[in-house]
Amino acid sequence: MMVANYDEVMKLALERGFYFPSCEIYSDAPAGFWEYGPRGVHMKNKFIELWRRELVRRDGMLEIDGCQIMSKSVFVASGHIGNFTDPVVKCTKCGSSFRADRYITEKTGESALERMAEQEIKALIKKHNLRCPNCNGEFGEVSRFNMMFPIGIGPAAEEAYLRPETCQTIFVDFARLFKTMRGRLPLSIAQVGKSFRNEIAPRQSLLRLREFYQAEIEVFCNPDRLNEMPKFEEVKNTVLRLSDGSSIIDVTAEEAISKGLTPNKLITYYLALLVEFYDKTGIDVKRSRFRNLSVDEKAFYASVAFDFEVETSVGWLELVACNYRSDYDLKGHAITSKQNLEVLDSATQSKVLPHVFELSMGIDRSIYAILEHCYYEDREHEDRVVLRLKPYLAPILVGILPLMTKDGLDQKARQINSELKYDFDTFYDESGSIGRRYRRLEEIGTPFAITIDKATMQDDTVTIRHRDTMQQERINISGLPQYLHRALGRR
RNA sequence: GCGGUCAUGGUCUAGUUUGGUUAUGACAUGGGCUUCCCAAGCCUAUAACCCGGGUUCAAAUCCCGGUGACCGCACCA
């Protein structure tokens, strides 16, 4: 088994237009911003379409598309402002900075809290005469580091923020959606979009961005009915790879519950849907795991948390955070907005403030993981580089190649292209040797190449070449649309 | 954010120590010739010294500042 590494994927991405640094012609371009090129956009869009098919449509979720700029109150309610800014203290001599609360607690045993006022923290530092552990220099003022990007709205520059996670729009829209979309619990609401976090140290291209895509699903449920899940039958035999961080065990969804490895049918059902989805992306799910987070790793709002992680050349990579957020979010928004966000659960005829189970997917990281898992160097054939992407994720589905540019082969090929290009992502190429053109196509993951030769001119047949096996078969031109639809898994 | 290493065409790289002609080579890419089937060959073209300042007759090369990348630490709602 040949395992691709980060550098090879990076090189391919740069050379072939998958992704590249933002604003790269300017020297002041900040880190943590990357753009998708033509190949990357196709792949990302198709990934999102697969997510819609396998999760949103399969489960009957509601999809929304919310705003990226949201008012300050939203983040007061969510806890992003106030409680969850980090107090930072900087050494005046060497410039090293530290998390003030952690440093104080660690050094003195006196518990300092994140949410303490700056003066209180400063007083504690003074009281214990704490100094910089690196150079013994004196500490300066205590400041707050908030990962959110502030935005000023209108001439008065009213305080607002770029959302640090897409889910907050789902929470604030929940009441209207439940009412107008005839909602019943459990109700799943999904959203794809950009989020923004002012990371201290963005790194590794798509893996740690300041502006990034998320695909989030929030399942609103009645906490008393987490085991009433008829749909669970569909996934009871799906294998989950569960891990505590060291060992991994394979169990079916059904076994996971009976052995108490997962808490209830609702959570287990969605974990299983997620594995089935990732299996279809071409990621090797044998190199994945659900890591059950320990108490101190969990986010502030989560009572149960599983990270879906995939093994890559840069280690285990977290692709999806699965958190049981309880009623943390709706309760916060209800209090801050002074709205009643309880709904009637028709099954029990009782009012309930729903709990939330969330699947928060990182799209950019998923794209990277797919590229790495699909990257293959074929040692048998001059080390040709092949991206073994699933047809429905490939930027180009089919290359259309006249064997030569004479005897009318090129006109015939253009004609076939113009017939297919409205229904499929095609790529017409007549330049260079046929082998060269095949190699270029397979490097960006194109699963098929149609070749037009002299026989085509006589009997309207073409050869269709398969990327992975390099085998060719001859089929009639009129059969091409059906052939390609089948390859995409359509009827 | 801290420390270390580094920055030359689309990609990889020579040249920097010791400043001095037209910045090396490969791959990739465009055009042409050839060729009905797997990176062939021939001709040809395009294309780079991260940004700003300084030293100097002269800077890719030396100095200062900035930005970015990689590796560790810290952080990661």
Side-chain angles (χ1 to χ4, degrees), chain A residues 56-217:
Chain A
V56 178
R57 286 205 280 274
R58 174 173 178 181
D59 193 54
M61 299 176 185
L62 305 177
E63 184 179 348
I64 63 163
D65 185 358
C67 286
Q68 299 176 349
I69 296 173
M70 302 178 84
S71 78
K72 182 184 177 186
S73 300
V74 171
F75 302 110
V76 171
S78 70
H80 289 88
I81 289 178
N83 298 359
F84 305 105
T85 52
D86 298 335
V88 175
V89 69
K90 199 166 180 171
C91 170
T92 53
K93 199 170 149 197
C94 72
S96 309
S97 49
F98 303 89
R99 270 288 294 270
D101 54 329
R102 294 198 181 180
Y103 186 64
I104 293 168
T105 308
E106 180 192 322
K107 280 283 170 192
T108 67
E110 185 164 346
S111 79
L113 301 171
E114 274 180 12
R115 59 175 149 279
M116 285 172 105
E118 283 87 314
Q119 296 89 326
E120 290 180 70
I121 291 174
K122 189 136 193 245
L124 277 174
I125 291 172
K126 205 164 178 185
K127 178 177 157 195
H128 294 285
N129 193 28
L130 294 175
R131 301 180 83 88
C132 173
N134 291 351
C135 70
N136 204 34
E138 241 177 274
F139 284 126
E141 288 301 311
V142 176
S143 57
R144 292 258 164 196
F145 184 74
N146 189 324
M147 296 268 278
M148 287 194 296
F149 288 102
I151 289 276
I153 308 289
E158 208 172 315
E159 192 177 348
Y161 294 90
L162 288 173
R163 62 183 179 188
E165 51 186 11
T166 57
C167 60
Q168 293 305 324
T169 40
I170 295 177
F171 300 138
V172 301
D173 291 351
F174 169 72
R176 169 180 287 273
L177 291 167
F178 193 87
K179 283 177 208 155
T180 59
M181 302 309 291
R182 305 168 65 200
R184 303 178 70 167
L185 297 180
L187 175 69
S188 303
I189 304 178
Q191 179 173 213
V192 175
K194 275 201 165 166
S195 292
F196 306 81
R197 290 181 198 172
N198 199 359
E199 293 282 353
I200 297 170
R203 207 159 276 194
Q204 290 172 318
S205 61
L206 298 190
L207 304 188
R208 201 96 150 268
L209 294 163
R210 286 181 164 138
E211 174 174 340
F212 58 101
Y213 284 100
Q214 290 187 299
E216 293 198 295
I217 292 165

Side-chain angles (χ1 to χ4, degrees), chain A residues 293-299:
Chain A
L293 299 195
S294 62
V295 177
D296 42 326
E297 282 178 308
K298 279 188 284 204

